Amino acid sequence: MPPIPLRPPNTSTLHPWAVVLAAGKSSRLGEAGVETRKQFLQWQGVPLFWHSVRVFARTAGLRGVVVVFPAEELATGEAWVRRLIDAEQPGIPVTVVQGGTLRQDSVRHGLAGLPRECDVVFVHDAARPFVRPALVVRLLTELRDTSAVGVVPGLPVTDTVKQVHEGRVLSTPDRASLQAVQTPQVFLRVLLEKAHQHCRQYGWTVTDDASVVERLGAEVRVVPGDVGNIKITHPDDLNLLKELTVPAISVPCVGFGYDVHRFGPGRPLRLGGVPFPGAPEIIAHSDGDVLLHALADALLGCLGKGDIGELFPDSDARYAGIDSAVLVSEVLELVRRGGLQLTHVDLTIVAQVPKVAPRREEIRRNVARLLELEYGQIGVKASTEEGLGFTGAKQGIKAMAVVTAMRPSGPKNAEH
């Protein structure tokens, strides 16, 4: 067995991409009379495969997505992707490749379509349209912070499992040691490519990518999965795509956030996740994105949960240089758990330098993508202070954020 590839020396500079597998034949649904392949079924106005693309586009740090379509549906898939990119501007590159006969062939084709700089790859089934960014972040964090070369989401098995042959029970495994795994699964690219090369060379047939990597003797870890991350497989599963009745939401709430950072030797300036090359550097523990820090505080204000300094203290080395979009994603997960429905976000940047106006719409699109809101629900403004104060003296930058939301009325609200 060849040696297992080493982890990259600096995991803080990972370049993760995602491969979304939309090359299945949907045989079970076809046998039930469903003519459209499930990856092209419409849900909330777009085909199922695009929901996975959206999630990866909204996940902090993801650099791009490769979508794998069946050969006979490649033109259809390409046309959908072009239209959806034009309509939504996902903010990351989305490319298309042709799949293969087996799932493992499609994964191999997807890997071949990744750019050279990609060193970490997620593999996800388009038939799981309910995946959320928080799960993607959880997987990437585990890969970055441990010795694992692959990480998968798993759920405890609740039913007793029997090993059966020709109708006869052979054994009953202890279900305490069993997990049902999901996608997405994330791996070091060099290792996953090597595993699939062996898969092809030795004729292995596998049902998920982790099992290929495991055959190389590499360490694969499991993190808690998401019970809502359901796979559309059987005809009855199509009921999950029916619009759910939304409970009455009647209590408005408003959160305000404010943050300041000094200019000085430190970190490159970013505003709303958008880099400003040539601008003054920021003195900060994290990446110093003053706008996203104000936004995170405003979101926490809607929940009555203090500020990001309490959740992500600058005394914790884990957050040194961290992408502020990751922090916002973590706060957004708290917003979801609290049952809040965001309605509008208004952001203001106050600085003498740099000039924000030329990048204002880019910031607006990026924040909308990060919060999973429509473009029209985000307002971004920039102002100077006419040469007054520390911003006028070009000593620093500040930002303010106002978030409006609706929260469920009733006893649950009291918990938050």
Side-chain angles (χ1 to χ4, degrees):
M1 186 65 66
I4 298 170
L6 298 176
R7 293 173 56 80
N10 185 1
T11 54
S12 64
T13 58
L14 297 178
H15 289 73
W17 276 61
V19 172
V20 174
L21 300 175
K25 297 179 180 179
S26 302
S27 54
R28 293 185 183 90
L29 295 182
E31 292 169 359
V34 180
E35 297 181 0
T36 303
R37 295 193 183 195
K38 59 188 173 185
Q39 58 266 47
F40 296 112
L41 291 173
Q42 297 286 297
W43 180 47
Q44 296 181 345
V46 297
L48 284 194
F49 77 84
W50 191 252
H51 290 274
S52 297
V53 175
R54 278 178 174 172
V55 167
F56 287 114
R58 291 166 176 166
T59 301
L62 260 289
R63 306 301 180 90
V65 179
V66 174
V67 187
V68 186
F69 291 114
E72 61 274 20
E73 298 278 10
L74 185 61
T76 300
E78 285 181 318
W80 266 115
V81 168
R82 284 195 300 269
R83 288 196 297 269
L84 290 164
I85 288 175
D86 289 342
E88 299 191 5
Q89 297 294 316
I92 59 174
V94 181
T95 60
V96 170
V97 299
Q98 178 179 311
T101 304
L102 300 176
R103 182 188 187 278
Q104 58 210 54
D105 300 324
S106 294
V107 174
R108 192 175 65 253
H109 292 184
L111 292 173
L114 294 169
R116 179 177 299 179
E117 65 270 17
C118 168
D119 51 11
V120 167
V121 58
F122 285 88
V123 180
H124 183 59
D125 296 319
R128 292 186 185 270
F130 310 114
V131 62
R132 297 190 295 177
L135 179 58
V136 181
V137 171
R138 189 182 309 149
L139 291 161
L140 189 58
T141 300
E142 184 75 9
L143 184 73
R144 185 187 64 219
D145 295 347
T146 70
S147 60
V149 294
V151 185
V152 303
L155 295 173
V157 174
T158 56
D159 293 327
T160 297
V161 177
K162 302 284 186 182
Q163 183 182 8
V164 178
H165 177 67
E166 295 181 348
R168 184 170 64 89
V169 174
L170 300 181
S171 65
T172 303
D174 180 6
R175 68 183 182 189
S177 64
L178 300 177
Q179 295 249 333
V181 300
Q182 306 172 316
T183 66
Q185 301 180 355
V186 65
F187 307 92
L188 297 184
R189 177 186 180 176
V190 64
L191 181 66
L192 187 59
E193 287 180 332
K194 184 175 289 291
H196 275 282
Q197 289 169 6
H198 279 69
C199 188
R200 188 180 190 186
Q201 180 179 354
Y202 299 118
W204 300 341
T205 300
V206 296
T207 56
D208 80 333
D209 297 282
S211 58
V212 188
V213 173
E214 290 158 18
R215 291 199 182 195
L216 298 185
E219 180 184 357
V220 176
R221 296 183 65 86
V222 179
V223 298
D226 184 345
V227 293
N229 182 23
I230 299 169
K231 186 176 182 180
I232 303 297
T233 304
H234 303 284
D236 287 347
D237 296 334
L238 298 179
N239 293 325
L240 298 170
L241 305 180
K242 295 179 180 178
E243 296 299 328
L244 301 176
T245 302
V246 179
I249 299 175
S250 58
V251 180
C253 59
V254 178
F256 175 76
Y258 174 84
D259 197 38
V260 173
H261 279 297
R262 289 183 294 157
F263 291 149
R267 305 189 186 280
L269 180 67
R270 298 172 68 89
L271 293 172
V274 175
F276 278 73
E281 292 187 338
I282 291 290
I283 299 173
H285 183 67
S286 67
D287 69 354
D289 192 323
V290 66
L291 189 62
L292 290 187
H293 292 179
L295 173 59
D297 277 353
L299 292 168
L300 289 168
C302 288
L303 293 167
K305 285 189 176 292
D307 58 46
I308 58 171
E310 297 179 29
L311 294 179
F312 314 108
D314 59 13
S315 58
D316 193 329
R318 291 178 300 170
Y319 306 123
I322 192 170
D323 188 336
S324 293
V326 174
L327 306 183
V328 172
S329 295
E330 292 292 325
V331 173
L332 197 60
E333 183 64 18
L334 297 178
V335 169
R336 292 192 184 97
R337 292 176 189 172
L340 270 67
Q341 178 179 319
L342 301 181
T343 55
H344 193 79
V345 173
D346 192 26
L347 305 171
T348 301
I349 303 161
V350 181
Q352 202 73 28
V353 290
K355 296 295 184 184
V356 176
R359 311 291 299 276
R360 187 177 74 89
E361 295 307 306
E362 189 177 352
I363 294 171
R364 192 178 174 197
R365 285 194 298 269
N366 200 53
V367 172
R369 179 171 61 87
L370 183 61
L371 297 183
E372 303 180 36
L373 295 176
E374 298 297 326
Y375 182 70
Q377 293 176 277
I378 307 295
V380 177
K381 302 183 293 296
S383 177
T384 68
E385 290 187 307
E386 301 295 335
L388 301 174
F390 74 90
T391 59
K394 302 180 183 179
Q395 296 175 344
I397 188 169
K398 60 185 176 183
M400 291 166 279
V402 176
V403 173
T404 55
M406 303 294 286
R407 72 163 81 215
S409 60
K412 181 181 178 181
N413 187 46
E415 299 173 8
H416 304 278

